[in-house]
Amino acid sequence: MTTRALVLGGGGPVGIAWECGLLAGFAKAGVDVGGADFILGTSAGSFVGARIALGADVAALAEPILAEANRPPPPAPGPGPKDQPPDLGKLMQLMGEAQAGVRNPTEARAEIGAFALQAQTISEDDFIASFGKSFAGLAPDAWPEKDFACTAVDAQDGGFRLWTKAAGVGVTRAVASSCSVPGIYPPVTIAGRRYIDGGMRSSTNADMATGYDVVVVVALRVAGGGPVSDRIAARLDEEIQTLKDGGSTVVVVRPDDASVEAFGPNLMDFRRRPDAARAGLAQGEAQAATLKELWG
């Protein structure tokens, strides 16, 4: 029997919207990736992956995001003008240093963690509560029955953490930690430690899905490129090779040009979400045929 894994990468609120649209488009065209044997999410992907693992209708994932086009956008998180997306300049600088390969990556991530711990953001309680609608009614220690994992980084020592059911951590708090963009959202407390976005190790962490026959990796990209984008791409190439060395057939799905245009320059810009979801939906429906035979 063929085993299948779905890996969902990071990309902020805009990435959540696009991934929801993409997977809904796949489902509408007959490819239900929600049937994966293992779902792995990082940052935005942890949110989308948890929703799927908890039994959300994949074909309907984009509907509430598309409806946002008819409502005022929510206030931007963190300090600064509330009608503008937050500035990611400092974070990108630190990520570039962490991903450049010239320093100990754990030490570099610890510096990002220190930056996150000192940043002025919304409170941790408010951040956790912001996940309430999507995970409403779950017990504090609830975890999907489906095999699901999400990633985080210890803000205090830079260590990498893979949250699974065996960890005994509730999915709401685990996903919040994986989505805790440094400098934008607060580090999340779990068992006395503080955790930040798993994307500080890798935007995809796809090597954590080693051992499955088929691995579909959804990885975001933005226009413009640059040293950080180049390093992210190189890291993904390394992870894909690790999967292939483990015997996996790997399919990487990246945003097409129309989706990248819909994203705009800042993946934290909530105003872009309906357009990103719409572009993802169109791309998913158009590209589903390439997955259908392989996914089964």
Side-chain angles (χ1 to χ4, degrees):
M1 180 178 175
T2 300
T3 58
R4 304 166 299 173
L6 174 65
V7 176
L8 299 170
V14 176
I16 288 176
W18 178 74
E19 289 183 356
C20 285
L22 179 79
L23 302 187
F26 285 157
K28 289 176 182 294
V31 180
D32 183 5
V33 293
D37 299 288
F38 174 57
I39 299 173
L40 170 68
T42 291
S43 196
S46 74
F47 181 89
V48 179
R51 293 288 315 286
I52 296 171
L54 287 165
D57 180 0
V58 177
L61 280 176
E63 292 178 4
I65 300 171
L66 293 171
E68 291 175 10
N70 301 318
R71 301 194 302 269
K82 297 306 180 184
D83 59 347
Q84 295 294 326
D87 182 4
L88 299 180
K90 179 63 174 178
L91 174 60
M92 296 306 291
Q93 174 191 336
L94 291 170
M95 285 181 63
E97 295 174 2
Q99 305 240 1
V102 296
R103 298 180 53 195
N104 181 304
T106 302
E107 292 179 0
R109 292 195 299 267
E111 287 190 23
I112 297 175
F115 163 72
L117 289 166
Q118 295 169 2
Q120 293 184 349
T121 67
I122 63 173
S123 72
E124 184 177 345
D125 286 345
D126 286 345
F127 181 48
I128 299 295
S130 71
F131 289 82
K133 291 183 179 179
S134 296
F135 302 115
L138 293 180
D141 61 348
W143 196 265
E145 289 301 318
K146 180 179 283 291
D147 194 0
F148 167 74
C150 63
T151 65
V153 165
D154 191 313
Q156 292 153 280
D157 64 15
F160 176 67
R161 187 64 189 256
L162 185 70
W163 298 123
T164 66
K165 186 173 184 177
V169 176
V171 68
T172 303
R173 192 165 285 270
V175 168
S177 73
S178 189
C179 292
S180 175
V181 181
I184 308 300
Y185 298 122
V188 173
T189 305
I190 298 176
R193 305 289 293 182
R194 306 290 300 283
Y195 292 92
I196 58 174
D197 195 321
M200 299 305 103
R201 175 186 184 262
S202 160
S203 293
T204 46
N205 295 294
D207 50 323
M208 296 294 105
T210 301
Y212 289 86
D213 296 323
V214 175
V215 182
V216 172
V217 181
V218 177
L220 272 76
R221 66 181 177 93
V222 294
V228 175
S229 295
D230 291 345
R231 180 54 196 157
I232 289 172
R235 178 59 186 257
L236 177 57
D237 287 342
E238 294 168 5
E239 293 170 4
I240 291 170
Q241 191 58 53
T242 297
L243 294 171
K244 290 181 176 178
D245 290 345
S248 300
T249 297
V250 184
V251 177
V252 181
V253 181
R254 296 180 176 89
D256 59 16
D257 290 343
S259 292
V260 172
E261 183 177 355
F263 294 168
N266 192 327
L267 294 174
M268 298 299 295
D269 189 345
F270 280 83
R271 298 169 299 184
R272 294 280 187 166
R273 281 166 51 87
D275 286 346
R278 193 173 297 108
L281 190 63
Q283 181 179 344
E285 290 189 273
Q287 296 183 354
T290 62
L291 286 180
K292 186 168 291 187
E293 183 175 349
L294 184 65
W295 194 256

